[in-house]
Amino acid sequence: MTNSDRAKLVNRPYIRWLVWGGAISLTATISATLGATLALMSPLSSFIIPDNPLFGGKDKSLSQSFPYNIARPVNILVMGIDRVPDVPKSSPEIFSGRSDTILLLRLDPKEKSVTLLSIPRDTQIEIPGIGIDKINDANVKGGATQAAKVVSQTLNNIQIDRYVRITTDAFRELVDLVGGVEVFVPEPMEYTDITQKLHIDLNQGWQTLNGDQAEQFARFRNNNKGDIGRVQRQQILLKALRQRLTSSAVLPRLPQAIRVMQQYIDTNLTLEEILAIVSFSLNLQPDDLKMVLLPGRFSTPKEFIASYWIVDKEGKNRIVQDHFQKKPDFPSANTHPSPKQLRIAIQNATDNPEIANRISQYLTQKEFHNIYIVKDWPDRLSETEIIVQQGDLKAATSLKKILGIGKIEPSSIGELKSDLTIRIGEDWLNRDIPTSQN
């Protein structure tokens, strides 16, 4: 394809819908979606099928204007690759570094849903033929193939269909190209990452971050949350980027984004497969996206010399079973405990200092006994959120019915040790919370 042909391609009206759709369904991989449209053609894969031309016509929907559809659930491994010192951007070696970000994306046409599993880069795994290591080193030791194999083994041997590798520079430049992203910085962030030559200096509060600042926000780790705090902020950034990319004001900049992003992407997705993903995504709603963190805990200094994220096997089995439709690798009677058995954190995001205690007492009267109050959230929320910290959507739905209020937030941005986090909004202030059991 010549440069002239590419220019014609990105100027066609439907390419804007392609990117808009990709922004909904691929959230974390939007830059990959942009760049991979220029990938070399290869034989059609087994997970896409041609759209039936009999369903065409003047009244066909936008999704039917694309020639391919997803025929079955698809799992795509997405890795954000650290900078490799002294390697020029034009070299394939830029994709040989450690994976700073590891995401497993599942697109399910039957359920019409998208699940994004965040895998902490410090997750302890075993690399075949090498031994115990951190999962972010798998790409260094054996490239995308080795990384996919290790992730599959870690997650009960689920099938991984495709991979996308994105360099750190891609995210930073994409944020600049779309005019920045708006996020809430929950605390002052000041830290110097010598190995990555990155100085972090961000003030608390709502800000529109440019590419450099967005990278600072994502990489900050000088607090007690360590690598998991980075995962949480990555999820926040990805939601903000999705919002920005779906804005009509950004659409005119997308052709330039496509041209710039191609040098930062390595993927085995074909053009046909991307079109199938876009066709699928055009029928999705924002609530169809779920973000999940691989459950686990930090290792202690007495366990290992290195610091690891130790996978919680029961939590992993629940995630794999609920979100990836794969049977657990061992039976567990506690895969879905009652919501009343779960650890529920209560976090005040209002100006009323007593509201958290009142809700805690109310839930105790409802026979919830594993409740604790955490430090107030520094931003004020108008609507209460039930944050699904450990990916248990069924438990969150049950809790919402008991509370009678709250928006379910399917992401892992709450209190780390909780199963569910109730972030109290202003909508609670006018409610009459009983002080005795009904």
Side-chain angles (χ1 to χ4, degrees), residues 15-24 245-247 251 254 281-282:
I15 199 69
R16 293 181 297 175
W17 289 102
L18 185 155
V19 182
W20 182 85
I24 296 176
L245 284 163
T246 55
S247 167
L251 289 177
L254 295 181
S281 70
L282 290 173

Side-chain angles (χ1 to χ4, degrees), residues 1 20 26 80 87 89 93 97 108 164 167 190 233 280 314 343 356 387 396-398 425:
M1 182 181 288
W20 182 85
L26 289 181
V87 171
K89 292 181 180 180
E93 291 301 310
D108 191 332
V164 177
T167 69
E190 187 170 359
R233 288 189 297 278
F280 162 76
E314 286 194 351
R343 287 176 57 84
I387 301 172
T397 301
S398 297

Side-chain angles (χ1 to χ4, degrees), residues 77 79 81 95-97 99 102 119 125-155 157-158 160 162-163 165 266 268:
L77 177 63
M79 293 176 284
I81 306 300
F95 300 107
S96 65
S99 46
I102 306 171
I119 303 173
I125 49 86
E126 183 171 356
I127 300 179
I130 297 176
I132 300 298
D133 206 337
K134 294 184 178 182
I135 200 168
N136 72 334
D137 215 31
N139 184 68
V140 177
K141 301 293 174 61
T145 300
Q146 181 76 283
K149 183 183 298 184
V150 168
V151 170
S152 174
Q153 291 174 350
T154 303
L155 301 174
N157 295 311
I158 65 174
I160 296 179
R162 292 291 182 266
Y163 74 84
R165 293 189 294 185
D266 171 50
N268 59 354

